[in-house]
Coordinates of all heavy atoms in Angstrom, one line a residue:
M265 N 75.7 63.5 -63.0 CA 77.0 63.1 -62.6 C 77.7 64.3 -62.0 O 77.5 65.4 -62.4 CB 77.8 62.6 -63.9 CG 79.2 62.3 -63.6 SD 80.2 61.5 -64.9 CE 79.6 62.2 -66.4
T266 N 78.5 64.0 -61.0 CA 79.3 65.0 -60.3 C 80.8 64.7 -60.3 O 81.2 63.6 -60.1 CB 78.8 65.1 -58.8 OG1 77.4 65.3 -58.8 CG2 79.5 66.2 -58.1
V267 N 81.5 65.7 -60.6 CA 83.0 65.6 -60.6 C 83.5 66.6 -59.6 O 83.2 67.8 -59.6 CB 83.6 65.9 -62.0 CG1 85.1 65.9 -61.9 CG2 83.1 65.0 -63.0
T268 N 84.2 66.1 -58.6 CA 84.7 66.9 -57.5 C 86.2 66.7 -57.4 O 86.7 65.6 -57.5 CB 84.1 66.4 -56.1 OG1 82.7 66.4 -56.3 CG2 84.5 67.4 -55.0
T269 N 86.9 67.8 -57.2 CA 88.4 67.7 -57.1 C 88.8 68.1 -55.7 O 88.3 69.1 -55.1 CB 89.1 68.7 -58.1 OG1 88.7 68.3 -59.4 CG2 90.6 68.6 -58.0
Y270 N 89.6 67.3 -55.1 CA 90.1 67.5 -53.7 C 91.6 67.7 -53.8 O 92.3 67.2 -54.7 CB 89.8 66.3 -52.8 CG 88.4 66.0 -52.7 CD1 87.7 65.2 -53.5 CD2 87.6 66.6 -51.6 CE1 86.4 64.9 -53.4 CE2 86.3 66.3 -51.5 CZ 85.6 65.4 -52.4 OH 84.3 65.1 -52.3
Q271 N 92.2 68.4 -52.8 CA 93.6 68.5 -52.6 C 94.0 67.6 -51.5 O 93.5 67.7 -50.4 CB 94.0 70.0 -52.3 CG 93.8 70.9 -53.5 CD 94.6 70.6 -54.7 OE1 94.0 70.4 -55.8 NE2 95.9 70.5 -54.6
V272 N 95.0 66.8 -51.7 CA 95.5 65.8 -50.7 C 97.0 66.1 -50.5 O 97.8 66.1 -51.4 CB 95.3 64.4 -51.2 CG1 95.9 63.4 -50.2 CG2 93.8 64.1 -51.4
E273 N 97.3 66.2 -49.2 CA 98.7 66.5 -48.8 C 99.4 65.2 -48.4 O 98.8 64.3 -47.9 CB 98.8 67.5 -47.7 CG 98.3 68.9 -48.0 CD 99.1 69.5 -49.1 OE1 100.3 69.4 -49.2 OE2 98.4 70.2 -50.0
G274 N 100.7 65.1 -48.6 CA 101.5 64.0 -48.2 C 101.8 62.9 -49.2 O 102.6 62.1 -48.9
M275 N 101.2 63.0 -50.4 CA 101.5 62.0 -51.4 C 102.9 62.4 -52.1 O 103.1 63.5 -52.4 CB 100.5 62.0 -52.5 CG 99.1 61.6 -52.0 SD 97.9 61.5 -53.4 CE 97.9 63.1 -54.1
T276 N 103.8 61.4 -52.2 CA 105.1 61.6 -52.8 C 105.5 60.7 -53.9 O 106.5 60.9 -54.5 CB 106.2 61.6 -51.6 OG1 106.1 60.3 -51.0 CG2 105.9 62.6 -50.6
C277 N 104.7 59.6 -54.1 CA 105.1 58.6 -55.1 C 103.9 57.8 -55.6 O 102.8 58.0 -55.2 CB 106.1 57.6 -54.4 SG 105.3 56.6 -53.1
G278 N 104.2 56.9 -56.5 CA 103.2 56.1 -57.1 C 102.4 55.2 -56.2 O 101.2 55.0 -56.3
H279 N 103.1 54.8 -55.1 CA 102.4 54.0 -54.1 C 101.4 54.8 -53.4 O 100.3 54.4 -53.1 CB 103.4 53.4 -53.1 CG 102.8 52.7 -52.0 ND1 102.1 51.5 -52.1 CD2 102.7 53.0 -50.6 CE1 101.6 51.1 -51.0 NE2 101.9 52.0 -50.0
C280 N 101.7 56.1 -53.1 CA 100.8 57.0 -52.5 C 99.5 57.1 -53.4 O 98.4 57.1 -52.9 CB 101.4 58.4 -52.3 SG 102.9 58.4 -51.3
V281 N 99.7 57.3 -54.7 CA 98.6 57.5 -55.6 C 97.8 56.2 -55.6 O 96.5 56.3 -55.5 CB 99.2 57.7 -57.0 CG1 98.1 57.6 -58.1 CG2 99.9 59.1 -57.1
S282 N 98.4 55.1 -55.6 CA 97.6 53.8 -55.6 C 96.8 53.7 -54.3 O 95.6 53.2 -54.3 CB 98.6 52.6 -55.7 OG 99.2 52.6 -56.9
S283 N 97.4 54.0 -53.2 CA 96.7 53.9 -51.9 C 95.4 54.9 -51.8 O 94.4 54.4 -51.4 CB 97.6 54.3 -50.7 OG 98.6 53.4 -50.6
V284 N 95.6 56.1 -52.3 CA 94.5 57.1 -52.3 C 93.4 56.6 -53.3 O 92.3 56.6 -52.9 CB 95.0 58.5 -52.6 CG1 93.9 59.4 -52.8 CG2 95.9 59.0 -51.4
T285 N 93.9 56.2 -54.4 CA 92.9 55.7 -55.4 C 92.1 54.6 -54.9 O 90.8 54.6 -55.1 CB 93.7 55.3 -56.7 OG1 94.4 56.4 -57.2 CG2 92.7 54.8 -57.8
A286 N 92.7 53.6 -54.3 CA 92.0 52.4 -53.8 C 91.0 52.8 -52.7 O 89.9 52.3 -52.7 CB 93.0 51.4 -53.3
E287 N 91.4 53.6 -51.7 CA 90.6 53.9 -50.6 C 89.4 54.8 -51.0 O 88.3 54.6 -50.6 CB 91.4 54.6 -49.5 CG 92.3 53.6 -48.7 CD 91.6 52.5 -48.1 OE1 90.4 52.6 -47.6 OE2 92.2 51.4 -48.1
V288 N 89.7 55.8 -51.8 CA 88.6 56.7 -52.3 C 87.6 55.9 -53.2 O 86.4 56.2 -53.2 CB 89.1 58.0 -53.0 CG1 88.0 58.8 -53.6 CG2 89.9 58.8 -52.0
G289 N 88.2 55.0 -54.0 CA 87.4 54.2 -54.9 C 86.4 53.3 -54.1 O 85.4 52.9 -54.7
K290 N 86.6 53.1 -52.8 CA 85.7 52.3 -52.0 C 84.5 53.0 -51.5 O 83.5 52.4 -51.0 CB 86.4 51.7 -50.8 CG 87.5 50.7 -51.1 CD 88.2 50.2 -49.9 CE 89.4 49.3 -50.2 NZ 90.1 49.0 -48.9
V291 N 84.5 54.4 -51.6 CA 83.4 55.2 -51.1 C 82.2 54.9 -52.0 O 82.2 54.9 -53.2 CB 83.8 56.7 -51.2 CG1 82.6 57.6 -50.8 CG2 84.9 57.0 -50.2
A292 N 81.0 54.7 -51.3 CA 79.8 54.4 -52.0 C 79.4 55.5 -53.0 O 79.5 56.7 -52.6 CB 78.7 54.2 -51.0
G293 N 79.2 55.1 -54.2 CA 78.7 56.1 -55.2 C 79.9 56.6 -56.1 O 79.6 57.2 -57.2
V294 N 81.1 56.3 -55.8 CA 82.3 56.7 -56.6 C 82.4 55.8 -57.8 O 82.4 54.6 -57.7 CB 83.6 56.7 -55.8 CG1 84.8 56.9 -56.7 CG2 83.5 57.8 -54.7
S295 N 82.5 56.4 -59.0 CA 82.6 55.6 -60.2 C 84.0 55.7 -60.8 O 84.4 54.8 -61.5 CB 81.6 56.0 -61.2 OG 81.7 57.4 -61.5
E296 N 84.7 56.8 -60.5 CA 86.1 56.9 -61.0 C 86.9 57.8 -60.1 O 86.4 58.8 -59.5 CB 86.0 57.5 -62.4 CG 87.4 57.7 -63.1 CD 87.3 58.3 -64.5 OE1 86.2 58.7 -64.9 OE2 88.4 58.4 -65.1
V297 N 88.2 57.5 -59.9 CA 89.1 58.3 -59.2 C 90.4 58.5 -60.0 O 90.9 57.6 -60.5 CB 89.5 57.6 -57.9 CG1 90.5 58.5 -57.1 CG2 88.3 57.3 -57.0
Q298 N 90.8 59.8 -60.2 CA 92.0 60.1 -60.9 C 92.9 61.0 -59.9 O 92.4 61.9 -59.4 CB 91.7 60.9 -62.1 CG 91.0 60.1 -63.2 CD 90.7 61.0 -64.4 OE1 90.6 62.2 -64.4 NE2 90.5 60.3 -65.5
V299 N 94.1 60.5 -59.8 CA 95.0 61.3 -58.9 C 96.2 61.8 -59.7 O 96.8 61.1 -60.5 CB 95.6 60.3 -57.8 CG1 96.5 61.1 -56.9 CG2 94.4 59.7 -57.0
D300 N 96.5 63.1 -59.5 CA 97.6 63.8 -60.2 C 98.6 64.1 -59.1 O 98.4 65.0 -58.3 CB 97.1 65.0 -60.9 CG 98.3 65.8 -61.6 OD1 99.5 65.5 -61.3 OD2 98.0 66.6 -62.4
L301 N 99.7 63.3 -59.0 CA 100.7 63.5 -58.0 C 101.3 64.8 -58.0 O 101.5 65.4 -56.9 CB 101.8 62.4 -58.1 CG 102.9 62.3 -57.1 CD1 102.3 62.1 -55.7 CD2 103.9 61.2 -57.4
A302 N 101.6 65.4 -59.1 CA 102.3 66.7 -59.2 C 101.5 67.8 -58.6 O 102.0 68.6 -57.9 CB 102.6 67.0 -60.7
S303 N 100.2 67.8 -58.8 CA 99.4 68.9 -58.3 C 98.7 68.5 -57.0 O 98.0 69.3 -56.4 CB 98.3 69.3 -59.4 OG 97.4 68.2 -59.5
K304 N 98.8 67.2 -56.6 CA 98.2 66.7 -55.4 C 96.6 66.7 -55.5 O 95.9 66.8 -54.5 CB 98.6 67.4 -54.2 CG 100.1 67.3 -53.9 CD 100.5 68.0 -52.7 CE 102.0 67.9 -52.3 NZ 102.9 67.3 -53.1
A305 N 96.1 66.7 -56.8 CA 94.7 66.8 -57.0 C 94.1 65.4 -57.1 O 94.7 64.5 -57.8 CB 94.4 67.6 -58.3
V306 N 93.0 65.2 -56.5 CA 92.3 63.9 -56.6 C 90.9 64.2 -57.1 O 90.1 64.9 -56.5 CB 92.2 63.2 -55.2 CG1 91.4 61.9 -55.3 CG2 93.6 62.9 -54.6
T307 N 90.6 63.8 -58.3 CA 89.4 64.1 -59.0 C 88.5 62.8 -58.9 O 88.9 61.7 -59.3 CB 89.6 64.5 -60.5 OG1 90.5 65.6 -60.5 CG2 88.3 64.8 -61.1
V308 N 87.3 63.0 -58.3 CA 86.4 61.9 -58.0 C 85.1 62.2 -58.9 O 84.5 63.2 -58.8 CB 86.0 61.9 -56.5 CG1 85.1 60.7 -56.2 CG2 87.3 61.8 -55.7
T309 N 84.7 61.1 -59.6 CA 83.5 61.2 -60.4 C 82.5 60.3 -59.6 O 82.8 59.2 -59.2 CB 83.7 60.7 -61.8 OG1 84.7 61.5 -62.4 CG2 82.4 60.7 -62.6
S310 N 81.2 60.8 -59.5 CA 80.2 60.1 -58.8 C 78.8 60.4 -59.4 O 78.7 61.4 -60.1 CB 80.2 60.4 -57.3 OG 80.0 61.8 -57.1
A311 N 77.9 59.5 -59.2 CA 76.6 59.7 -59.8 C 75.9 60.9 -59.1 O 75.1 61.6 -59.8 CB 75.7 58.4 -59.5
A312 N 76.1 61.2 -57.9 CA 75.5 62.3 -57.1 C 76.6 62.9 -56.2 O 77.7 62.3 -56.0 CB 74.4 61.7 -56.3
P313 N 76.4 64.1 -55.7 CA 77.3 64.7 -54.8 C 77.7 63.8 -53.7 O 76.8 63.1 -53.1 CB 76.7 66.0 -54.4 CG 75.7 66.3 -55.5 CD 75.2 65.0 -56.0
L314 N 78.9 63.7 -53.3 CA 79.4 62.9 -52.2 C 79.4 63.7 -50.9 O 79.6 64.9 -50.9 CB 80.8 62.4 -52.5 CG 81.0 61.5 -53.7 CD1 82.5 61.2 -53.9 CD2 80.2 60.2 -53.5
D315 N 79.3 63.0 -49.8 CA 79.5 63.5 -48.5 C 81.0 63.7 -48.3 O 81.8 62.7 -48.3 CB 78.9 62.6 -47.4 CG 79.1 63.1 -46.0 OD1 79.9 64.1 -45.8 OD2 78.4 62.5 -45.1
D316 N 81.5 64.9 -48.2 CA 83.0 65.1 -48.1 C 83.6 64.4 -46.9 O 84.8 64.1 -47.0 CB 83.2 66.6 -48.0 CG 83.0 67.4 -49.3 OD1 83.0 66.7 -50.4 OD2 82.7 68.6 -49.3
T317 N 82.8 64.2 -45.9 CA 83.4 63.5 -44.7 C 83.7 62.0 -45.1 O 84.7 61.5 -44.5 CB 82.4 63.5 -43.5 OG1 81.2 62.9 -43.8 CG2 82.2 64.9 -43.0
L318 N 83.0 61.4 -46.0 CA 83.4 60.1 -46.4 C 84.7 60.1 -47.2 O 85.5 59.1 -47.1 CB 82.2 59.5 -47.3 CG 80.9 59.3 -46.6 CD1 79.9 58.8 -47.6 CD2 81.1 58.4 -45.4
V319 N 84.9 61.1 -48.0 CA 86.1 61.2 -48.8 C 87.3 61.5 -47.8 O 88.4 60.9 -47.9 CB 86.0 62.3 -49.9 CG1 87.4 62.4 -50.6 CG2 84.9 61.9 -50.9
L320 N 87.0 62.3 -46.9 CA 88.0 62.6 -45.8 C 88.4 61.4 -45.1 O 89.6 61.1 -44.9 CB 87.5 63.6 -44.8 CG 88.3 63.9 -43.6 CD1 89.7 64.4 -43.9 CD2 87.6 64.8 -42.6
A321 N 87.5 60.5 -44.7 CA 87.8 59.3 -44.0 C 88.6 58.3 -44.9 O 89.5 57.7 -44.4 CB 86.5 58.6 -43.6
A322 N 88.3 58.3 -46.2 CA 89.0 57.4 -47.1 C 90.5 57.9 -47.3 O 91.4 57.1 -47.3 CB 88.3 57.3 -48.4
V323 N 90.6 59.2 -47.4 CA 92.0 59.7 -47.6 C 92.8 59.5 -46.3 O 94.0 59.1 -46.3 CB 91.9 61.2 -47.9 CG1 93.3 61.9 -47.9 CG2 91.4 61.4 -49.3
T324 N 92.2 59.7 -45.1 CA 92.8 59.4 -43.9 C 93.2 58.0 -43.7 O 94.3 57.6 -43.3 CB 91.9 59.9 -42.7 OG1 91.6 61.3 -42.9 CG2 92.6 59.7 -41.4
E325 N 92.3 57.1 -44.1 CA 92.6 55.6 -44.1 C 93.8 55.3 -44.9 O 94.5 54.4 -44.6 CB 91.3 54.9 -44.5 CG 91.5 53.4 -44.5 CD 91.6 52.8 -43.1 OE1 91.2 53.4 -42.1 OE2 92.2 51.7 -43.0
A326 N 93.9 56.0 -46.0 CA 95.1 55.7 -46.9 C 96.4 56.3 -46.3 O 97.5 55.9 -46.8 CB 94.8 56.3 -48.3
G327 N 96.3 57.1 -45.3 CA 97.4 57.6 -44.6 C 97.8 59.0 -45.0 O 98.9 59.5 -44.8
Y328 N 96.9 59.8 -45.6 CA 97.2 61.1 -46.1 C 96.2 62.1 -45.5 O 95.2 61.8 -44.8 CB 97.2 61.1 -47.6 CG 98.2 60.1 -48.1 CD1 97.7 58.8 -48.4 CD2 99.5 60.4 -48.1 CE1 98.6 57.8 -48.8 CE2 100.4 59.4 -48.5 CZ 100.0 58.1 -48.9 OH 100.9 57.2 -49.2
E329 N 96.4 63.4 -45.8 CA 95.6 64.5 -45.3 C 94.8 65.2 -46.4 O 95.4 65.6 -47.4 CB 96.5 65.5 -44.6 CG 95.7 66.6 -43.9 CD 96.7 67.5 -43.1 OE1 97.7 67.0 -42.7 OE2 96.3 68.7 -43.0
L330 N 93.5 65.3 -46.2 CA 92.7 66.1 -47.2 C 92.8 67.5 -46.8 O 92.5 68.0 -45.8 CB 91.2 65.6 -47.1 CG 90.3 66.2 -48.1 CD1 90.6 65.7 -49.5 CD2 88.8 65.8 -47.7
A331 N 93.4 68.3 -47.8 CA 93.6 69.7 -47.6 C 92.4 70.5 -47.9 O 92.2 71.7 -47.4 CB 94.8 70.2 -48.5
G332 N 91.4 70.0 -48.6 CA 90.2 70.7 -49.0 C 89.6 70.3 -50.3 O 90.2 69.5 -51.0
R333 N 88.5 70.8 -50.6 CA 87.8 70.6 -51.9 C 88.1 71.7 -52.8 O 87.9 72.9 -52.4 CB 86.3 70.4 -51.7 CG 85.6 69.9 -52.9 CD 84.2 69.7 -52.7 NE 83.5 70.9 -52.8 CZ 82.4 71.2 -52.1 NH1 81.9 70.3 -51.3 NH2 81.8 72.4 -52.2
A334 N 88.7 71.4 -53.9 CA 89.0 72.5 -54.9 C 87.8 73.0 -55.7 O 87.6 74.1 -55.8 CB 90.1 72.0 -55.8
D335 N 87.0 72.0 -56.1 CA 85.8 72.4 -56.9 C 84.9 71.2 -57.1 O 85.3 70.1 -56.9 CB 86.2 73.0 -58.3 CG 86.9 71.9 -59.2 OD1 87.1 70.8 -58.8 OD2 87.1 72.3 -60.4
R336 N 83.7 71.5 -57.4 CA 82.7 70.5 -57.7 C 81.9 71.0 -58.9 O 81.4 72.1 -58.9 CB 81.7 70.3 -56.5 CG 80.6 69.3 -56.8 CD 79.8 69.0 -55.5 NE 80.6 68.1 -54.7 CZ 80.3 67.9 -53.4 NH1 79.2 68.5 -52.8 NH2 81.0 67.1 -52.7
V337 N 81.8 70.1 -59.9 CA 81.0 70.4 -61.1 C 80.0 69.3 -61.3 O 80.3 68.2 -61.3 CB 82.0 70.4 -62.3 CG1 81.2 70.7 -63.6 CG2 83.1 71.5 -62.1
M338 N 78.8 69.7 -61.4 CA 77.7 68.8 -61.7 C 77.4 68.8 -63.2 O 77.2 69.8 -63.8 CB 76.5 69.2 -60.9 CG 76.8 69.1 -59.4 SD 75.4 69.2 -58.2 CE 74.3 68.0 -58.7
L339 N 77.5 67.6 -63.7 CA 77.3 67.5 -65.2 C 75.9 66.8 -65.4 O 75.6 65.8 -64.8 CB 78.4 66.6 -65.8 CG 79.8 67.1 -65.6 CD1 80.8 66.1 -66.2 CD2 80.0 68.5 -66.3
A340 N 75.2 67.3 -66.4 CA 73.9 66.7 -66.7 C 74.1 65.4 -67.4 O 75.1 65.3 -68.1 CB 73.1 67.7 -67.6
Q341 N 73.2 64.5 -67.3 CA 73.4 63.2 -68.0 C 73.3 63.3 -69.5 O 74.0 62.7 -70.2 CB 72.3 62.2 -67.5 CG 72.5 61.8 -66.0 CD 73.8 61.1 -65.8 OE1 74.3 60.3 -66.6 NE2 74.3 61.2 -64.6
A342 N 72.5 64.2 -70.0 CA 72.3 64.4 -71.4 C 73.5 65.0 -72.0 O 73.8 66.2 -71.7 CB 71.0 65.2 -71.7
G343 N 74.2 64.3 -72.8 CA 75.3 64.9 -73.5 C 76.6 65.1 -72.7 O 77.6 65.5 -73.2
G344 N 76.5 64.8 -71.4 CA 77.7 64.9 -70.6 C 78.2 66.3 -70.4 O 79.3 66.6 -70.1
S345 N 77.3 67.3 -70.6 CA 77.8 68.7 -70.4 C 77.2 69.3 -69.2 O 76.2 68.8 -68.6 CB 77.4 69.5 -71.6 OG 76.0 69.7 -71.7
C346 N 77.7 70.4 -68.7 CA 77.2 71.0 -67.5 C 75.9 71.6 -67.6 O 75.2 71.8 -66.6 CB 78.3 72.0 -66.9 SG 78.6 73.4 -68.0
C347 N 75.5 72.0 -68.8 CA 74.2 72.6 -69.0 C 73.2 71.7 -69.6 O 72.0 72.0 -69.8 CB 74.3 73.9 -69.8 SG 74.9 73.6 -71.5
G348 N 73.6 70.5 -70.1 CA 72.7 69.5 -70.6 C 72.5 69.7 -72.1 O 71.8 68.9 -72.7
S349 N 73.0 70.8 -72.7 CA 72.8 71.0 -74.1 C 73.7 70.2 -75.0 O 73.5 70.1 -76.2 CB 72.9 72.5 -74.4 OG 74.2 72.9 -74.3
G350 N 74.8 69.8 -74.4 CA 75.8 69.1 -75.2 C 76.8 70.0 -75.9 O 77.8 69.5 -76.5
G351 N 76.6 71.3 -75.9 CA 77.5 72.2 -76.6 C 78.0 73.3 -75.6 O 77.8 74.5 -75.9
C352 N 78.5 72.9 -74.5 CA 78.8 73.8 -73.5 C 80.0 74.7 -73.8 O 80.9 74.3 -74.5 CB 79.1 73.0 -72.2 SG 78.3 73.6 -70.8
H353 N 80.0 75.8 -73.2 CA 81.1 76.8 -73.2 C 82.1 76.6 -74.3 O 83.2 76.5 -74.3 CB 81.8 76.9 -71.9 CG 80.9 76.8 -70.7 ND1 80.1 77.8 -70.3 CD2 80.6 75.8 -69.9 CE1 79.4 77.4 -69.3 NE2 79.7 76.2 -69.0

């Protein structure tokens, strides 16, 4: 599983959050989208790393601007931890 956080500019309200959530949620492989309006962070969970250009296209389709990728964390399936041991950091 991969969790990637993007920064999105231009969001100002709950409707913005809904639009970004809906469009990014349509990207193949996306299993969950969480948007934090205050920090402008969009956290995307997927089974495998996503092509950032697909996320960019989805954000653009929603009417906003992708400022960049903040981070990407790959989590092992076993135990849901980044190292697979279940007892991470």
Side-chain angles (χ1 to χ4, degrees):
M265 177 170 37
T266 301
V267 178
T268 308
T269 302
Y270 299 90
Q271 292 299 124
V272 175
E273 296 298 325
M275 298 186 300
T276 59
C277 66
H279 175 65
C280 300
V281 169
S282 296
S283 296
V284 170
T285 300
E287 289 301 327
V288 174
K290 293 178 187 176
V291 174
V294 170
S295 58
E296 183 180 3
V297 179
Q298 295 179 337
V299 180
D300 182 343
L301 182 59
S303 67
K304 299 181 180 0
V306 177
T307 302
V308 181
T309 303
S310 56
L314 297 172
D315 180 346
D316 290 335
T317 60
L318 298 176
V319 177
L320 169 63
V323 169
T324 301
E325 180 65 26
Y328 305 95
E329 183 178 331
L330 186 66
R333 188 176 82 211
D335 66 355
R336 177 175 284 167
V337 178
M338 299 192 51
L339 302 176
Q341 292 296 329
S345 68
C346 61
C347 63
S349 70
C352 229
H353 318 287

